[in-house]
Amino acid sequence: MSHFVLVTLHLFAAIMFVGTVFFEVIILEGIRKPVGRDAIRTVETAIGRRARRVMPFVMAVLYGAGIVMAWQYRDDLAHPFESSFATLLSIKIVLALSVLVHFITAITLSARGKLKSRHFKLIHLSVFCHVVLIVFLAKAMFYIAW
């Protein structure tokens, strides 16, 4: 598969994932009080059901393309502190793995019926902070050097 196709697939999947997280953290949290507790629970439940159907495929493309692209930098990643690029890419990968753990935790809690509104908010806020840093690092690793 060409590098262009991998980058494009990775970018589209990232847009879908980051866009969903942005919506849930910025938009959904902004309507929590005016809409009311019962209504927001209904919305969270519906979003959760839809996310459980769509996001596994998005995540598979996102991480699959990311792994294949990272493979070409395996020599750099073997020595993560020898260059700014390798350091920033390593941090990006650690953050991405943390997001994956958050995602699996949310899916597991939801499937068991234990994903409470508080968990929903905390997980999404944490993931939001992670993805903002990941997006920054995705560009920074090509422009920042020390």
Side-chain angles (χ1 to χ4, degrees):
M1 189 174 299
S2 78
H3 185 73
F4 171 75
V5 172
L6 286 171
V7 170
T8 302
L9 288 172
H10 189 70
L11 184 59
F12 281 139
I15 289 167
M16 286 184 260
F17 183 74
V18 174
T20 300
V21 173
F22 176 85
F23 171 80
E24 290 174 349
V25 171
I26 303 299
I27 306 299
L28 196 57
E29 286 304 314
I31 65 166
R32 186 172 291 280
K33 286 181 185 176
V35 169
R37 191 169 138 170
D38 292 335
I40 207 70
R41 274 198 185 140
T42 303
V43 169
E44 286 174 351
T45 301
I47 288 172
R49 266 191 237 115
R50 183 66 179 154
R52 278 192 305 278
R53 286 188 203 117
V54 174
M55 282 301 144
F57 298 106
V58 170
M59 297 294 276
V61 170
L62 182 62
Y63 282 85
I67 289 166
V68 173
M69 288 188 305
W71 185 253
Q72 69 183 341
Y73 297 111
R74 64 189 175 278
D75 293 334
D76 293 321
L77 291 170
H79 308 285
F81 301 111
E82 286 188 5
S83 71
S84 55
F85 177 85
T87 302
L88 296 174
L89 180 57
S90 297
I91 294 168
K92 182 181 176 219
I93 289 169
V94 168
L95 288 170
L97 290 172
S98 179
V99 168
L100 185 60
V101 169
H102 282 74
F103 179 76
I104 291 168
T105 301
I107 293 295
T108 303
L109 287 173
S110 181
R112 293 180 181 169
K114 295 183 180 184
L115 184 63
K116 305 292 181 208
S117 184
R118 180 175 173 265
H119 298 129
F120 186 85
K121 287 171 60 175
L122 290 174
I123 289 170
H124 284 88
L125 183 58
S126 179
V127 169
F128 179 76
C129 293
H130 279 65
V131 298
V132 167
L133 287 170
I134 289 168
V135 168
F136 172 77
L137 290 170
K139 285 299 170 192
M141 59 191 204
F142 292 103
Y143 293 99
I144 295 176
W146 55 78

